[in-house]
Amino acid sequence: VMAALLQRDHDLVCTGQVILADKGFAGRRFEEFVTDELGCHLVRPDRKDESPRHGRLARFRQWIEAVIDTLKGQLGLESHGGRTPAGVYARTGQRLLALAAAIRHNWETDAPVKRSLIAYDH
């Protein structure tokens, strides 16, 4: 499914981009598609039956899960209230801009924890 999505909407990725995937994306055809046709680098955890290439990626996956949890929880993206695709995009964009502004404010005011959004939580 992912290969079909990327083949149809290949503008979702740029040449040279790193795609971090789960080990379920193991497969020679998929990896060749990503490398040869898209010009991207596929990075995924090594399976037990193959030689080590990328090692453990748990740290990166934790960062991704933290971002997703923030988007769904603190920013309320699961209950966005958008009734049309344009409304969903607008509300999602507003929340992402608010998140970026809060993090930037933490950097500008030299907050001890830069990514903490507790002060802005409702």
Side-chain angles (χ1 to χ4, degrees):
V1 172
M2 180 58 66
L5 175 68
L6 290 173
Q7 192 166 23
R8 182 179 183 278
D9 295 324
H10 60 277
D11 56 327
L12 294 174
V13 295
C14 301
T15 302
Q17 185 173 353
V18 175
I19 297 176
L20 182 63
D22 198 339
K23 62 182 163 185
F25 288 95
R28 187 171 10 121
R29 285 190 357 215
F30 182 71
E31 193 161 342
E32 287 173 357
F33 166 73
V34 170
T35 304
D36 298 337
E37 292 186 37
L38 299 177
C40 297
H41 305 283
L42 180 66
V43 178
R44 60 170 176 76
D46 299 325
R47 291 186 358 202
K48 292 179 184 177
D49 63 342
E50 60 187 9
S51 60
R53 296 187 311 168
H54 302 294
R56 299 188 67 215
L57 303 173
R59 181 176 174 188
F60 300 108
R61 294 178 67 189
Q62 287 174 339
W63 286 344
I64 292 168
E65 289 298 324
V67 169
I68 290 171
D69 186 55
T70 298
L71 292 173
K72 287 168 60 176
Q74 286 187 330
L75 299 180
L77 289 188
E78 286 192 333
S79 55
H80 47 71
R83 300 180 197 283
T84 64
V88 173
Y89 298 148
R91 288 171 186 249
T92 303
Q94 289 171 339
R95 287 170 169 83
L96 290 174
L97 286 172
L99 173 66
I103 293 171
R104 175 68 183 210
H105 183 264
N106 286 346
W107 277 96
E108 293 294 325
T109 60
D110 202 26
V113 181
K114 308 296 187 210
R115 290 177 35 189
S116 176
L117 301 176
I118 293 173
Y120 312 104
D121 201 2
H122 48 283

